[in-house]
Amino acid sequence: MDTIFQYTKGEEKLYSGEVLFFDSDLEECNILIFDRTVYEGEFSGKAIGLKEYMKEYAHAEFEILTEGYFGYSTTYTGWLWEKGKEPVSAILYIWNSGDMVYRIDC
């Protein structure tokens, strides 16, 4: 992550930093990439593994709009931005049995 946002008392704060997932199994992580932004109605896209995503979309930006934490699964939903293209919706699933740490640069 290049920017982490915090909203408190009506104020937006920006931080640089990273999110670390410990004891992740990359074989169990995947991403759904849609062919457009998804709101209602029919849509299509593809599902790929996280390793393939990291290679194929190395220069893309994934803007996280919502996040969810469910036991050993973290889900990020947002927009995938590629230079020169309209954004598309994406859902990223990360499986990890260890800690998840937000490391903020001060």
mmCIF file of all heavy atoms in Angstrom, residues 51-80:
data_model
loop_
_atom_site.group_PDB
_atom_site.id
_atom_site.type_symbol
_atom_site.label_atom_id
_atom_site.label_comp_id
_atom_site.label_asym_id
_atom_site.label_seq_id
_atom_site.Cartn_x
_atom_site.Cartn_y
_atom_site.Cartn_z
ATOM 1 N N LYS A 51 -0.775 -14.953 -6.926
ATOM 2 C CA LYS A 51 0.535 -14.948 -7.584
ATOM 3 C C LYS A 51 0.418 -14.449 -9.025
ATOM 4 O O LYS A 51 1.223 -13.645 -9.482
ATOM 5 C CB LYS A 51 1.162 -16.339 -7.555
ATOM 6 C CG LYS A 51 1.671 -16.753 -6.205
ATOM 7 C CD LYS A 51 2.310 -18.127 -6.288
ATOM 8 C CE LYS A 51 2.826 -18.608 -4.955
ATOM 9 N NZ LYS A 51 3.447 -19.936 -5.064
ATOM 10 N N GLU A 52 -0.580 -14.936 -9.752
ATOM 11 C CA GLU A 52 -0.793 -14.494 -11.129
ATOM 12 C C GLU A 52 -1.148 -13.006 -11.165
ATOM 13 O O GLU A 52 -0.664 -12.259 -12.017
ATOM 14 C CB GLU A 52 -1.904 -15.313 -11.785
ATOM 15 C CG GLU A 52 -2.174 -14.937 -13.225
ATOM 16 C CD GLU A 52 -3.298 -15.736 -13.853
ATOM 17 O OE1 GLU A 52 -3.715 -16.775 -13.287
ATOM 18 O OE2 GLU A 52 -3.766 -15.315 -14.926
ATOM 19 N N TYR A 53 -1.988 -12.568 -10.242
ATOM 20 C CA TYR A 53 -2.367 -11.160 -10.168
ATOM 21 C C TYR A 53 -1.134 -10.278 -9.962
ATOM 22 O O TYR A 53 -0.983 -9.241 -10.623
ATOM 23 C CB TYR A 53 -3.370 -10.938 -9.028
ATOM 24 C CG TYR A 53 -3.574 -9.488 -8.698
ATOM 25 C CD1 TYR A 53 -4.362 -8.669 -9.500
ATOM 26 C CD2 TYR A 53 -2.960 -8.912 -7.583
ATOM 27 C CE1 TYR A 53 -4.538 -7.329 -9.208
ATOM 28 C CE2 TYR A 53 -3.134 -7.569 -7.283
ATOM 29 C CZ TYR A 53 -3.925 -6.789 -8.096
ATOM 30 O OH TYR A 53 -4.093 -5.462 -7.806
ATOM 31 N N MET A 54 -0.232 -10.674 -9.072
ATOM 32 C CA MET A 54 0.953 -9.871 -8.789
ATOM 33 C C MET A 54 1.844 -9.736 -10.021
ATOM 34 O O MET A 54 2.492 -8.714 -10.208
ATOM 35 C CB MET A 54 1.730 -10.450 -7.599
ATOM 36 C CG MET A 54 0.969 -10.276 -6.285
ATOM 37 S SD MET A 54 1.878 -10.743 -4.780
ATOM 38 C CE MET A 54 2.273 -12.442 -5.056
ATOM 39 N N LYS A 55 1.854 -10.748 -10.879
ATOM 40 C CA LYS A 55 2.638 -10.672 -12.121
ATOM 41 C C LYS A 55 1.904 -9.863 -13.187
ATOM 42 O O LYS A 55 2.459 -8.947 -13.788
ATOM 43 C CB LYS A 55 2.927 -12.075 -12.656
ATOM 44 C CG LYS A 55 3.922 -12.854 -11.844
ATOM 45 C CD LYS A 55 4.104 -14.247 -12.415
ATOM 46 C CE LYS A 55 4.967 -15.107 -11.506
ATOM 47 N NZ LYS A 55 5.026 -16.493 -11.970
ATOM 48 N N GLU A 56 0.650 -10.208 -13.430
ATOM 49 C CA GLU A 56 -0.109 -9.615 -14.528
ATOM 50 C C GLU A 56 -0.488 -8.155 -14.279
ATOM 51 O O GLU A 56 -0.597 -7.365 -15.215
ATOM 52 C CB GLU A 56 -1.378 -10.439 -14.773
ATOM 53 C CG GLU A 56 -2.144 -10.042 -16.002
ATOM 54 C CD GLU A 56 -3.320 -10.953 -16.280
ATOM 55 O OE1 GLU A 56 -3.277 -12.145 -15.895
ATOM 56 O OE2 GLU A 56 -4.288 -10.483 -16.894
ATOM 57 N N TYR A 57 -0.687 -7.786 -13.018
ATOM 58 C CA TYR A 57 -1.149 -6.437 -12.689
ATOM 59 C C TYR A 57 -0.138 -5.691 -11.818
ATOM 60 O O TYR A 57 -0.502 -4.866 -10.987
ATOM 61 C CB TYR A 57 -2.505 -6.516 -11.975
ATOM 62 C CG TYR A 57 -3.612 -7.001 -12.868
ATOM 63 C CD1 TYR A 57 -3.890 -8.366 -12.973
ATOM 64 C CD2 TYR A 57 -4.361 -6.110 -13.628
ATOM 65 C CE1 TYR A 57 -4.897 -8.825 -13.818
ATOM 66 C CE2 TYR A 57 -5.366 -6.558 -14.462
ATOM 67 C CZ TYR A 57 -5.632 -7.920 -14.547
ATOM 68 O OH TYR A 57 -6.637 -8.365 -15.381
ATOM 69 N N ALA A 58 1.138 -5.939 -12.048
ATOM 70 C CA ALA A 58 2.198 -5.337 -11.227
ATOM 71 C C ALA A 58 2.160 -3.804 -11.249
ATOM 72 O O ALA A 58 2.520 -3.160 -10.263
ATOM 73 C CB ALA A 58 3.561 -5.833 -11.691
ATOM 74 N N HIS A 59 1.716 -3.213 -12.352
ATOM 75 C CA HIS A 59 1.715 -1.758 -12.457
ATOM 76 C C HIS A 59 0.326 -1.149 -12.252
ATOM 77 O O HIS A 59 0.163 0.063 -12.414
ATOM 78 C CB HIS A 59 2.273 -1.333 -13.813
ATOM 79 C CG HIS A 59 3.682 -1.808 -14.010
ATOM 80 N ND1 HIS A 59 4.732 -1.343 -13.257
ATOM 81 C CD2 HIS A 59 4.216 -2.729 -14.832
ATOM 82 C CE1 HIS A 59 5.847 -1.935 -13.623
ATOM 83 N NE2 HIS A 59 5.555 -2.793 -14.580
ATOM 84 N N ALA A 60 -0.639 -1.960 -11.900
ATOM 85 C CA ALA A 60 -1.993 -1.463 -11.659
ATOM 86 C C ALA A 60 -2.112 -0.971 -10.219
ATOM 87 O O ALA A 60 -1.312 -1.318 -9.350
ATOM 88 C CB ALA A 60 -3.014 -2.569 -11.916
ATOM 89 N N GLU A 61 -3.110 -0.147 -9.986
ATOM 90 C CA GLU A 61 -3.394 0.346 -8.633
ATOM 91 C C GLU A 61 -4.723 -0.230 -8.178
ATOM 92 O O GLU A 61 -5.715 -0.159 -8.906
ATOM 93 C CB GLU A 61 -3.464 1.872 -8.642
ATOM 94 C CG GLU A 61 -3.798 2.457 -7.302
ATOM 95 C CD GLU A 61 -3.924 3.978 -7.343
ATOM 96 O OE1 GLU A 61 -3.288 4.611 -8.201
ATOM 97 O OE2 GLU A 61 -4.659 4.518 -6.503
ATOM 98 N N PHE A 62 -4.737 -0.810 -6.976
ATOM 99 C CA PHE A 62 -5.981 -1.339 -6.401
ATOM 100 C C PHE A 62 -6.410 -0.384 -5.297
ATOM 101 O O PHE A 62 -5.742 -0.258 -4.282
ATOM 102 C CB PHE A 62 -5.763 -2.751 -5.864
ATOM 103 C CG PHE A 62 -7.026 -3.393 -5.328
ATOM 104 C CD1 PHE A 62 -8.148 -3.501 -6.112
ATOM 105 C CD2 PHE A 62 -7.067 -3.900 -4.054
ATOM 106 C CE1 PHE A 62 -9.310 -4.094 -5.636
ATOM 107 C CE2 PHE A 62 -8.215 -4.496 -3.555
ATOM 108 C CZ PHE A 62 -9.341 -4.591 -4.352
ATOM 109 N N GLU A 63 -7.510 0.326 -5.542
ATOM 110 C CA GLU A 63 -8.040 1.285 -4.572
ATOM 111 C C GLU A 63 -9.076 0.573 -3.711
ATOM 112 O O GLU A 63 -10.144 0.192 -4.204
ATOM 113 C CB GLU A 63 -8.676 2.473 -5.296
ATOM 114 C CG GLU A 63 -9.267 3.487 -4.359
ATOM 115 C CD GLU A 63 -9.923 4.660 -5.098
ATOM 116 O OE1 GLU A 63 -9.835 4.721 -6.340
ATOM 117 O OE2 GLU A 63 -10.531 5.489 -4.418
ATOM 118 N N ILE A 64 -8.766 0.375 -2.454
ATOM 119 C CA ILE A 64 -9.660 -0.334 -1.542
ATOM 120 C C ILE A 64 -10.762 0.613 -1.084
ATOM 121 O O ILE A 64 -10.496 1.679 -0.536
ATOM 122 C CB ILE A 64 -8.888 -0.881 -0.329
ATOM 123 C CG1 ILE A 64 -7.823 -1.879 -0.799
ATOM 124 C CG2 ILE A 64 -9.847 -1.515 0.677
ATOM 125 C CD1 ILE A 64 -6.841 -2.278 0.281
ATOM 126 N N LEU A 65 -12.007 0.200 -1.320
ATOM 127 C CA LEU A 65 -13.165 0.984 -0.896
ATOM 128 C C LEU A 65 -13.770 0.439 0.390
ATOM 129 O O LEU A 65 -14.225 1.209 1.232
ATOM 130 C CB LEU A 65 -14.213 1.024 -2.006
ATOM 131 C CG LEU A 65 -13.740 1.615 -3.338
ATOM 132 C CD1 LEU A 65 -14.839 1.515 -4.385
ATOM 133 C CD2 LEU A 65 -13.272 3.056 -3.167
ATOM 134 N N THR A 66 -13.807 -0.880 0.520
ATOM 135 C CA THR A 66 -14.302 -1.509 1.750
ATOM 136 C C THR A 66 -13.403 -2.681 2.104
ATOM 137 O O THR A 66 -12.741 -3.265 1.238
ATOM 138 C CB THR A 66 -15.757 -2.016 1.613
ATOM 139 O OG1 THR A 66 -15.813 -2.992 0.580
ATOM 140 C CG2 THR A 66 -16.715 -0.887 1.314
ATOM 141 N N GLU A 67 -13.370 -3.023 3.367
ATOM 142 C CA GLU A 67 -12.575 -4.157 3.829
ATOM 143 C C GLU A 67 -13.372 -4.933 4.858
ATOM 144 O O GLU A 67 -14.208 -4.382 5.560
ATOM 145 C CB GLU A 67 -11.238 -3.682 4.401
ATOM 146 C CG GLU A 67 -11.365 -2.601 5.454
ATOM 147 C CD GLU A 67 -10.039 -1.940 5.770
ATOM 148 O OE1 GLU A 67 -9.654 -1.028 5.046
ATOM 149 O OE2 GLU A 67 -9.418 -2.360 6.763
ATOM 150 N N GLY A 68 -13.122 -6.243 4.919
ATOM 151 C CA GLY A 68 -13.816 -7.096 5.875
ATOM 152 C C GLY A 68 -12.862 -8.145 6.417
ATOM 153 O O GLY A 68 -11.944 -8.593 5.718
ATOM 154 N N TYR A 69 -13.090 -8.513 7.665
ATOM 155 C CA TYR A 69 -12.222 -9.472 8.341
ATOM 156 C C TYR A 69 -13.097 -10.586 8.904
ATOM 157 O O TYR A 69 -13.998 -10.327 9.695
ATOM 158 C CB TYR A 69 -11.443 -8.773 9.459
ATOM 159 C CG TYR A 69 -10.733 -7.547 8.946
ATOM 160 C CD1 TYR A 69 -11.290 -6.285 9.091
ATOM 161 C CD2 TYR A 69 -9.540 -7.667 8.257
ATOM 162 C CE1 TYR A 69 -10.650 -5.163 8.584
ATOM 163 C CE2 TYR A 69 -8.898 -6.554 7.746
ATOM 164 C CZ TYR A 69 -9.460 -5.304 7.920
ATOM 165 O OH TYR A 69 -8.821 -4.207 7.408
ATOM 166 N N PHE A 70 -12.819 -11.820 8.457
ATOM 167 C CA PHE A 70 -13.682 -12.947 8.783
ATOM 168 C C PHE A 70 -12.826 -14.143 9.175
ATOM 169 O O PHE A 70 -12.445 -14.936 8.314
ATOM 170 C CB PHE A 70 -14.568 -13.309 7.585
ATOM 171 C CG PHE A 70 -15.234 -12.120 6.961
ATOM 172 C CD1 PHE A 70 -14.704 -11.537 5.816
ATOM 173 C CD2 PHE A 70 -16.354 -11.554 7.530
ATOM 174 C CE1 PHE A 70 -15.305 -10.433 5.236
ATOM 175 C CE2 PHE A 70 -16.970 -10.438 6.961
ATOM 176 C CZ PHE A 70 -16.442 -9.881 5.813
ATOM 177 N N GLY A 71 -12.479 -14.252 10.439
ATOM 178 C CA GLY A 71 -11.662 -15.385 10.873
ATOM 179 C C GLY A 71 -10.294 -15.348 10.232
ATOM 180 O O GLY A 71 -9.482 -14.480 10.504
ATOM 181 N N TYR A 72 -10.031 -16.291 9.326
ATOM 182 C CA TYR A 72 -8.740 -16.368 8.648
ATOM 183 C C TYR A 72 -8.752 -15.711 7.276
ATOM 184 O O TYR A 72 -7.841 -15.901 6.492
ATOM 185 C CB TYR A 72 -8.304 -17.832 8.509
ATOM 186 C CG TYR A 72 -8.080 -18.513 9.831
ATOM 187 C CD1 TYR A 72 -8.832 -19.609 10.212
ATOM 188 C CD2 TYR A 72 -7.099 -18.054 10.691
ATOM 189 C CE1 TYR A 72 -8.620 -20.229 11.424
ATOM 190 C CE2 TYR A 72 -6.875 -18.673 11.915
ATOM 191 C CZ TYR A 72 -7.647 -19.759 12.269
ATOM 192 O OH TYR A 72 -7.426 -20.368 13.470
ATOM 193 N N SER A 73 -9.778 -14.959 6.953
ATOM 194 C CA SER A 73 -9.899 -14.366 5.623
ATOM 195 C C SER A 73 -10.074 -12.858 5.727
ATOM 196 O O SER A 73 -10.879 -12.358 6.502
ATOM 197 C CB SER A 73 -11.105 -14.969 4.903
ATOM 198 O OG SER A 73 -11.266 -14.377 3.645
ATOM 199 N N THR A 74 -9.304 -12.136 4.920
ATOM 200 C CA THR A 74 -9.454 -10.694 4.781
ATOM 201 C C THR A 74 -9.951 -10.433 3.374
ATOM 202 O O THR A 74 -9.433 -11.005 2.407
ATOM 203 C CB THR A 74 -8.109 -9.972 4.997
ATOM 204 O OG1 THR A 74 -7.651 -10.255 6.327
ATOM 205 C CG2 THR A 74 -8.239 -8.482 4.815
ATOM 206 N N THR A 75 -10.963 -9.597 3.245
ATOM 207 C CA THR A 75 -11.540 -9.289 1.951
ATOM 208 C C THR A 75 -11.447 -7.791 1.696
ATOM 209 O O THR A 75 -11.851 -6.992 2.533
ATOM 210 C CB THR A 75 -13.028 -9.715 1.893
ATOM 211 O OG1 THR A 75 -13.114 -11.101 2.187
ATOM 212 C CG2 THR A 75 -13.630 -9.433 0.537
ATOM 213 N N TYR A 76 -10.869 -7.438 0.558
ATOM 214 C CA TYR A 76 -10.816 -6.052 0.120
ATOM 215 C C TYR A 76 -11.641 -5.922 -1.150
ATOM 216 O O TYR A 76 -11.468 -6.692 -2.090
ATOM 217 C CB TYR A 76 -9.388 -5.616 -0.196
ATOM 218 C CG TYR A 76 -8.477 -5.538 1.000
ATOM 219 C CD1 TYR A 76 -7.306 -6.282 1.044
ATOM 220 C CD2 TYR A 76 -8.759 -4.710 2.075
ATOM 221 C CE1 TYR A 76 -6.444 -6.199 2.127
ATOM 222 C CE2 TYR A 76 -7.913 -4.626 3.168
ATOM 223 C CZ TYR A 76 -6.752 -5.372 3.184
ATOM 224 O OH TYR A 76 -5.911 -5.289 4.255
ATOM 225 N N THR A 77 -12.522 -4.944 -1.185
ATOM 226 C CA THR A 77 -13.337 -4.669 -2.356
ATOM 227 C C THR A 77 -13.016 -3.258 -2.835
ATOM 228 O O THR A 77 -12.912 -2.349 -2.012
ATOM 229 C CB THR A 77 -14.833 -4.775 -2.018
ATOM 230 O OG1 THR A 77 -15.092 -6.074 -1.495
ATOM 231 C CG2 THR A 77 -15.697 -4.541 -3.239
ATOM 232 N N GLY A 78 -12.840 -3.101 -4.128
ATOM 233 C CA GLY A 78 -12.533 -1.762 -4.617
ATOM 234 C C GLY A 78 -12.419 -1.699 -6.115
ATOM 235 O O GLY A 78 -13.023 -2.507 -6.828
ATOM 236 N N TRP A 79 -11.618 -0.743 -6.574
ATOM 237 C CA TRP A 79 -11.437 -0.510 -7.997
ATOM 238 C C TRP A 79 -10.006 -0.817 -8.382
ATOM 239 O O TRP A 79 -9.056 -0.455 -7.686
ATOM 240 C CB TRP A 79 -11.747 0.933 -8.350
ATOM 241 C CG TRP A 79 -13.202 1.291 -8.259
ATOM 242 C CD1 TRP A 79 -14.253 0.432 -8.114
ATOM 243 C CD2 TRP A 79 -13.752 2.594 -8.302
ATOM 244 N NE1 TRP A 79 -15.434 1.127 -8.075
ATOM 245 C CE2 TRP A 79 -15.151 2.470 -8.187
ATOM 246 C CE3 TRP A 79 -13.216 3.853 -8.425
ATOM 247 C CZ2 TRP A 79 -16.011 3.552 -8.202
ATOM 248 C CZ3 TRP A 79 -14.071 4.942 -8.435
ATOM 249 C CH2 TRP A 79 -15.451 4.789 -8.333
ATOM 250 N N LEU A 80 -9.863 -1.452 -9.527
ATOM 251 C CA LEU A 80 -8.550 -1.750 -10.096
ATOM 252 C C LEU A 80 -8.308 -0.757 -11.233
ATOM 253 O O LEU A 80 -9.085 -0.681 -12.178
ATOM 254 C CB LEU A 80 -8.515 -3.187 -10.618
ATOM 255 C CG LEU A 80 -7.184 -3.688 -11.142
ATOM 256 C CD1 LEU A 80 -6.136 -3.697 -10.038
ATOM 257 C CD2 LEU A 80 -7.344 -5.072 -11.732
#
